[in-house]
Amino acid sequence: MEVVVSVEKLVKRYGDITAVDGISFEVRHGEIQGLLGPNGAGKTTTVECLEGLRIPDAGRIEVLGEVPSPTNYALKARLGIQLQGTAFLSRLTVEETLKLFAALYPRHRRVSELMEFAALSEKRRAPVKSLSGGQRQRLAVALALVNDPELLILDEPTAGLDPQARRALWELIISLKGEGKTVLLTTHYMEEAEYLCDRVLILDHGKIIALGSPEDLIARHFRETPIEVELADVDIGVDFSVLPGVERVVWEEEEVVLYSTTPVETIQALSTLSRRGEIELRDLTMRRVSLEDVYLLLTGRRIRE
Ligand code: ATP
């Protein structure tokens, strides 16, 4: 498959801080690739290097066969970029904003088509300042599409949005893929990455700690099924790790998660404990393994949405 982005041993420092610490990865044509990780992991720095906004301290980057730099305008014309927290001219309408950006490019997509694509046609005459958070983010993605780019780089496109607005943006991003675009996006949201991304790269402290499709990462790291157990009292001193099939026990604030290779046996054992009055069960849920479980396993932390 054609490689659209190639990164080799990328290093970027800010003074004493090594924000990106020797990472290597590729983005392939037509895929949605996610760059995940907690605050300060180095996601934005990485995408800024790809966009030519920052010069790496070491390593090699190729984007669409070119080396990004602040003055590589030919490459910029082929990229669609949505920066974190896009600033708009708030008095301009949606249509005026898109027209303004379209005028910057010799070749651009039709403004009416972009508004339709981003489900903003009804808002064409609305000033940008009157838009909801989700509408603004959809406008930011529409702006990134103005020049009909081959590669879109979206930095936290759904940050701070409510679930409904986030879903609408997900559908928009999926339809980009349908158009044959390649998308690299950063996110904090594991559920988002699992839904959208063909492959994800998890960064922590500037290093890659996992890379692969969500399904592969899950299969590589888990044979177990998580059972979420909500207890009336979590301070009961029961050792759940000795129950049949339980490989790992993770205590949360109000529940305990048992990762079991034989979930039916584990649940039977829990019900025995409950019958004997050794635990008071409030709720019991068996769920499928998610990317969030992989993240928790690898980083020891949970990203809360
Ligand atoms: P977030 O999810 O919060 O956007 P991130 O994963 O995008 O985080 P970066 O913004 O790339 O992470 O930051 C990586 C590290 O580099 C952090 O420790 C951050 O404080 C530091 N950093 C980022 N930009 C600068 C800068 N301009 N000057 C100094 N340090 C910086």
Side-chain angles (χ1 to χ4, degrees):
M1 206 183 265
E2 189 192 334
V3 173
V4 174
V5 174
S6 160
V7 174
E8 265 178 47
K9 298 184 180 148
L10 174 66
V11 176
K12 179 68 193 170
R13 297 185 197 95
Y14 302 106
D16 292 343
I17 298 170
T18 304
V20 177
D21 197 2
I23 65 172
S24 304
F25 66 95
E26 288 179 346
V27 182
R28 300 167 192 155
H29 176 78
E31 74 174 348
I32 301 180
Q33 179 158 329
L35 208 52
L36 316 186
N39 286 320
K43 306 179 295 291
T44 298
T45 303
T46 302
V47 296
E48 285 176 347
C49 290
L50 300 180
E51 292 160 355
L53 298 174
R54 294 198 186 276
I55 310 285
D57 290 306
R60 200 186 61 81
I61 301 179
E62 234 177 65
V63 176
L64 298 168
E66 307 228 10
V67 177
S69 79
T71 52
N72 189 342
Y73 301 110
L75 173 59
K76 283 191 179 154
R78 297 167 66 199
L79 298 181
I81 295 174
Q82 176 245 319
L83 298 173
Q84 219 177 87
T86 308
F88 298 102
L89 295 163
S90 62
R91 290 197 188 161
L92 292 188
T93 65
V94 166
E95 188 169 21
E96 287 164 347
T97 304
L98 282 162
K99 280 188 170 160
L100 182 72
F101 276 74
L104 299 174
Y105 294 95
R107 199 174 66 88
H108 59 79
R109 285 174 73 151
R110 284 177 43 220
V111 166
S112 57
E113 182 191 309
L114 290 168
M115 287 190 295
E116 200 171 316
F117 184 75
L120 288 170
S121 300
E122 280 178 20
K123 291 281 169 189
R124 66 193 307 150
R125 297 204 173 80
V128 170
K129 65 179 172 195
S130 72
L131 299 181
S132 69
Q135 290 163 343
R136 271 171 173 260
Q137 287 299 87
R138 296 208 302 276
L139 178 59
V141 175
L143 288 175
L145 279 170
V146 157
N147 52 331
D148 201 16
E150 292 158 65
L151 169 67
L152 274 122
I153 302 179
L154 310 176
D155 200 356
E156 296 193 18
T158 67
L161 298 185
D162 62 57
Q164 200 186 343
R166 189 175 294 158
R167 282 249 156 213
L169 219 87
W170 289 359
E171 297 316 320
L172 194 71
I173 293 168
I174 290 208
S175 60
L176 291 173
K177 186 177 156 166
E179 287 194 0
K181 308 282 186 206
T182 306
V183 181
L184 177 65
L185 62 89
T186 74
T187 182
H188 282 136
Y189 304 119
M190 292 294 145
E191 189 198 350
E192 172 165 303
E194 202 168 334
Y195 184 77
L196 286 180
C197 297
D198 299 299
R199 290 193 309 143
V200 297
L201 186 161
I202 305 179
L203 273 184
D204 198 15
H205 300 297
K207 288 191 183 339
I208 295 176
I209 56 168
L211 174 61
S213 71
E215 304 77 43
D216 283 352
L217 291 181
I218 288 167
R220 208 182 299 161
H221 293 286
F222 281 95
R223 300 178 296 133
E224 306 93 347
T225 301
I227 303 165
E228 293 179 347
V229 184
E230 208 182 304
L231 299 163
D233 182 3
V234 286
D235 298 321
I236 40 164
V238 171
D239 182 5
F240 290 104
S241 67
V242 299
L243 297 188
V246 173
E247 297 280 323
R248 249 163 19 95
V249 178
V250 176
W251 286 92
E252 302 275 329
E253 264 166 42
E254 289 171 359
E255 63 178 26
V256 55
V257 185
L258 310 180
Y259 292 86
S260 170
T261 48
T262 53
V264 174
E265 281 183 37
T266 307
I267 287 172
Q268 279 166 348
L270 284 167
S271 109
T272 306
L273 286 180
S274 166
R275 237 189 355 263
R276 285 198 214 129
E278 289 178 44
I279 57 171
E280 192 182 331
L281 285 176
R282 281 238 174 93
D283 201 6
L284 192 67
T285 323
M286 198 163 84
R287 60 167 172 83
R288 62 180 199 90
V289 185
S290 70
L291 200 55
E292 179 125 22
D293 292 300
V294 175
Y295 186 88
L296 178 64
L297 179 75
L298 295 178
T299 65
R301 281 169 290 164
R302 187 177 281 281
I303 290 190
R304 277 280 171 218
E305 295 196 13

